[in-house]
Structures are given as C-alpha cells and as structure tokens.
Amino acid sequence: MAAAYEQAQKGLRKGGIPIGSVIVHNNKIIGRGYNQRIQKQSVVHHAEMDALENMGRKNADFYNNCTIYTTLSPCIMCTGAILLYGISKVVIGENKSFKGEEKLLMSRGVNVKVIQNCQCIEMMSNFIEKNPQLWKEDIGL
Amino acid sequence: MAAAYEQAQKGLRKGGIPIGSVIVHNNKIIGRGYNQRIQKQSVVHHAEMDALENMGRKNADFYNNCTIYTTLSPCIMCTGAILLYGISKVVIGENKSFKGEEKLLMSRGVNVKVIQNCQCIEMMSNFIEKNPQLWKEDIGL
C-alpha cells in the first residue's frame, strides 16, 4: 500500500487526482499507475486501469495470481477491469471518501480487503474538499 | 451501427481485433474508437473505452444524453465504464459471438438494444475462428 500511496502522491505532485495503484505478482510489483484525468486528459486511466495498462498484456493464469492494491475503493469501471482479467485479490487503502463496488467484486469471488489507512483517507478527503467539481467528474456525478 | 462497424474494420485493417464503437450526442457522432490490444498493446482500450477516451472529458449531464453503439456485446470492463459515466442507452451490434454484461446494464437502468446485425456477427465469428488465443486474451480467458 505504501507503493500505491507513492503513486498517488506522484500524481498529486503533477497536479492530478491523488489515487494510486500497484499490481503484485509473486511478491513483486509488476505494474504501477495513478489517475491520469488531468495529466493525460484521460477518462479511462483511473489508477487501477493505469496500473493494468502499464503492466502490459498478460494471460489469464498470470492475472489470477495477482493482487491489486489501490489507495481508494474501486469504481464500477475499475471493478469491471479487475473482474474481466480475473485478478483474485484487491487490497483497498480506504473506502471512507468513496465506497466503490466492493460488493460486486465479492459477489464474483474476489478477495477484498479494506485497510482504512489514515494516510490514504487524509490524502483523498483533503483533495475532495479542495476540488469537489473535479472529483465529481471523476466518478461520473 | 454502420459507423461502429467502420471503426471495427479500420481496426482489422491495422491488424487488430475488429470491435468498433461510436458515441452519439444530439444525433451527432462525437466519439469513435476501436479495440487497441494489438495496435497499442493496450489492455484497457477496448472499443467502447477507446471511444470514451477519444470523446474527451465531459460532465454527467452530457453523458446521460449519449447513446453508445458497439459492434459486440460489452464486457464487464466496458459495462463498468458505461455505468460509471451514466450513458443511458447502449445499442449492440450482436451478442452471438460473445454475450457480455447486458443484464448488469439493464439492472442499473440502462436501455439496452441488441440488433443482431449479420455483418457484425460475420466479422467477429470469422476473427474468433482464426484467432482463438488472441480473442481469449481479450476477454480474460
């Protein structure tokens, strides 16, 4: 989660929305990413999507043995990507700022763990307070 | 759907997976895209995602008044993106080659129409027959 947080901070330093994600396979980080709405004017490169994209093309067996870490509870788009590729475990930094589709993930057999990390909570709540419109745009509201 | 099909054909001519999508707002096509797994080595730029990305950042009201056309029934990732942004209508070229998450879309209030277009069916079934491994990779199998 420290590495996912560092990705979020990297995004924040570049003027972006501070959500970060890393993907782990065999105890090794093999994908890193952060929200690219501002930096790349992207509507699809949320943190989890960006990490998946940066990890490159893999087969189903590979994905099944991955854990994705994300600083914030995943929205329905990122949830869909996690389910499409069959990532078996999701570790979530916090879901106090935004409660995503954890139930849908669990209903399809994904192992979901929420750790309510105080650094993740503080980072996101500060951002939302200062940038309510941008945040709404990012979650389609 | 003719425009979405043309996007798919464009992808096919470039050596890619022939799935295309367009987004319509006020009777005007404002986003076009096609599957970029081969061309961009992308795991997130499915046709619908690519069309959303190419359309750029919009607000919720705008998305609510859009219809997305796709040559093939949308997978869980693309379904998630459609739900995230609140696109209200999805027109699907066919669902015989692949049945995506139409039920999930409908359960959340999206208007879903499947037209079983014979050109879309032929294009996709031919591709899957010739490229079974690539197709499996694209849908996470």
Side-chain angles (χ1 to χ4, degrees):
Chain A
M1 189 55 71
Y5 180 81
E6 178 45 35
Q7 287 296 305
Q9 286 288 318
K10 204 168 167 181
L12 188 62
R13 285 195 296 274
K14 293 183 181 177
I17 302 176
I19 306 171
S21 177
V22 298
I23 302 170
V24 171
H25 183 261
N26 285 344
N27 295 316
K28 198 179 155 192
I29 294 176
I30 42 140
R32 297 169 199 258
Y34 50 89
N35 187 296
Q36 300 282 358
R37 180 168 297 270
I38 304 300
Q39 299 92 323
K40 291 187 181 167
Q41 298 293 308
S42 173
V43 306
V44 304
H45 285 250
H46 274 189
E48 300 91 324
M49 310 293 284
D50 198 46
L52 279 164
E53 187 76 323
N54 291 338
M55 189 170 82
R57 291 168 55 189
K58 305 289 176 193
N59 64 31
D61 275 349
F62 191 93
Y63 285 118
N64 293 164
N65 288 305
C66 286
T67 296
I68 188 164
Y69 290 78
T70 173
T71 56
L72 186 66
S73 185
C75 78
I76 181 73
M77 173 174 71
C78 297
T79 293
I82 290 164
L83 291 173
L84 173 64
Y85 291 115
I87 290 178
S88 53
K89 190 171 178 185
V90 182
V91 182
I92 297 169
E94 63 119 342
N95 66 7
K96 292 199 182 288
S97 308
F98 173 74
K99 181 83 181 276
E101 297 282 339
E102 296 161 24
K103 278 188 186 169
L104 181 59
L105 285 167
M106 288 186 280
S107 76
R108 300 203 181 188
V110 178
N111 181 343
V112 175
K113 194 175 169 189
V114 185
I115 64 171
Q116 305 296 19
N117 175 286
C118 64
Q119 282 188 300
C120 292
I121 295 171
E122 193 183 8
M123 172 174 68
M124 204 59 211
S125 59
N126 283 346
F127 182 83
I128 292 172
E129 200 184 324
K130 289 179 194 158
N131 306 275
Q133 284 309 316
L134 186 53
W135 169 239
K136 278 188 184 174
E137 184 195 311
D138 200 52
I139 52 169
L141 291 180
Chain B
M1 188 55 69
Y5 180 81
E6 177 46 34
Q7 288 296 306
Q9 286 288 318
K10 205 167 166 180
L12 189 61
R13 285 194 296 273
K14 293 181 182 179
I17 302 176
I19 307 171
S21 176
V22 298
I23 301 170
V24 171
H25 183 261
N26 284 345
N27 296 315
K28 197 178 156 192
I29 295 176
I30 43 143
R32 298 168 197 260
Y34 50 89
N35 188 297
Q36 301 280 358
R37 181 168 295 269
I38 304 301
Q39 299 93 323
K40 291 187 181 168
Q41 298 293 307
S42 173
V43 305
V44 304
H45 285 250
H46 273 189
E48 299 91 324
M49 309 294 283
D50 198 46
L52 278 165
E53 188 76 323
N54 291 337
M55 188 169 83
R57 291 168 56 189
K58 305 289 177 193
N59 63 32
D61 275 351
F62 191 93
Y63 285 117
N64 293 165
N65 288 303
C66 286
T67 297
I68 188 163
Y69 290 78
T70 174
T71 56
L72 185 66
S73 185
C75 79
I76 182 73
M77 173 174 71
C78 296
T79 293
I82 291 164
L83 291 174
L84 173 65
Y85 291 115
I87 291 177
S88 53
K89 190 171 178 184
V90 181
V91 182
I92 297 169
E94 63 117 342
N95 66 7
K96 291 198 183 291
S97 308
F98 173 73
K99 180 84 179 277
E101 296 282 340
E102 296 161 24
K103 278 188 186 169
L104 181 59
L105 285 167
M106 287 187 280
S107 75
R108 300 204 181 187
V110 178
N111 180 343
V112 175
K113 194 176 170 187
V114 185
I115 64 173
Q116 306 296 18
N117 175 285
C118 64
Q119 281 188 300
C120 292
I121 295 171
E122 194 183 9
M123 171 174 69
M124 203 60 213
S125 59
N126 283 347
F127 182 83
I128 292 172
E129 199 184 325
K130 287 179 195 159
N131 305 276
Q133 283 309 315
L134 187 53
W135 169 238
K136 277 188 184 173
E137 185 195 311
D138 199 51
I139 51 168
L141 291 180

